[in-house]
Amino acid sequence: MTIITSPQDFNTDDLYVDLEPVVGNTLFLKVEGLNFAGSVKLKAASAMVEAAEADGTLRPGAILVESSSGNLGIALSMIAAAKGYGFVCVTDSRCNLATRRLMESLGAEVHVITEPDPEHGLLGARLDHVRDLLASDDRHVWLNQYTNPNSWKAHYDTTGPQIAAQFPDVDVIFIGAGTTGTLMGTARYFADHHPHVRIVAVDSVGSVSFGTPAARRMIPGLGMAVRPPLLDQTVIDEVVHVEEADTIRTCHRLARTGFLFGGSTGTVVTAAEAWLAEHATPGTTAVAIAPDLGERYMDTIYQSHWVEDLYGDLTADTDDTGAFAAIAA
């Protein structure tokens, strides 16, 4: 029996899905969404809040302020509600409606930015709005997930060691790159303790994180409009970029096996499948990190009209159920 008093006290951290029947190579998917926040971001949110409380930055009566495309915002909404803080999430029009409603249900105030900064896009405009909020009320506290070292330290202390314990013979790990907290913490752990393990970062086409050109991105989660300040490429072996249309195909294909995952997970699995098809040898053990589940994407990647309006007809090859057919990345 498990009894908790705060929602952040529960996080299943040892569940893996064997995806070999789906991708054709040995791939274990580490599911990070089995907590009350529904995503891997609970780890970073908890670590940042606890550090801010410990150093006196965060005190009773404070109002947390953070820029988030969704999952961190939900995690902070939940923690703020449990601890009695206010919370203002600054997001943009790409944020899923279900995500916004969930944050508001937890008591958060959600500010949606619709006009991009001329140079740094919607993210730049969101950060400008956060700075304006900080100047407007001295109760506002910005944890700043983009530069806060506790974001990656949370994964150095938990995610990395947990994978190593479960898979001592792991050869390659696939990790999505957003603000890069999960990526940096896990990659640094393996660089320090198991340097032979190959770290493959996964990014969305259109993200500039690794120096590729900016382009339209409509699925929140992975990718950045500016280079992530936390990013250190010396602990990464290679980067795989994934088209959003391929992310959607993979999400639908996984759903037809009974596993409903979010866009970030679809992107990571797409990259892992393509990389393993080219590089895997008999006996290769691969792990991929699944940041989120799929319920919050019902109005976007699992909604046919939304998909068709943005990406055209992705159902040219379908099975007899109408699901997107398996299309190699």
Side-chain angles (χ1 to χ4, degrees), residues 152-161 184-186 188-189 192-193:
W152 68 261
K153 288 178 181 178
H155 297 282
Y156 188 98
D157 293 338
T158 60
T159 309
M184 286 295 96
T186 307
R188 284 193 173 115
Y189 174 83
D192 289 346
H193 300 280

Side-chain angles (χ1 to χ4, degrees), residues 57-126:
T57 302
L58 191 55
R59 300 175 181 176
I63 301 171
L64 291 167
V65 177
E66 188 57 77
S67 162
S68 170
S69 63
N71 283 334
L72 183 77
I74 291 172
L76 287 175
S77 297
M78 184 188 79
I79 293 171
K83 289 178 171 285
Y85 300 121
F87 176 52
V88 179
C89 181
V90 180
T91 189
D92 60 57
S93 50
R94 295 170 299 182
C95 179
N96 297 322
L97 179 60
T99 296
R100 287 158 47 189
R101 287 177 172 168
L102 180 51
M103 289 190 284
E104 290 170 343
S105 296
L106 290 165
E109 184 178 326
V110 181
H111 294 189
V112 181
I113 303 301
T114 58
E115 294 297 324
D117 176 85
E119 183 176 357
H120 298 301
L122 287 167
L123 176 58
R126 278 161 43 185

Side-chain angles (χ1 to χ4, degrees), residues 158-223:
T158 60
T159 309
Q162 205 279 332
I163 293 173
Q166 294 293 326
F167 298 95
D169 297 324
V170 64
D171 298 297
V172 57
I173 304 174
F174 301 92
I175 311 168
T179 60
T180 71
T182 306
L183 173 62
M184 286 295 96
T186 307
R188 284 193 173 115
Y189 174 83
F190 279 92
D192 289 346
H193 300 280
H194 307 280
H196 66 280
V197 176
R198 191 165 190 82
I199 301 296
V200 179
V202 180
D203 201 7
S204 298
V205 170
S207 167
V208 307
S209 297
F210 296 94
T212 50
R216 184 191 72 170
R217 292 180 295 110
M218 299 303 298
I219 300 175
L222 302 187

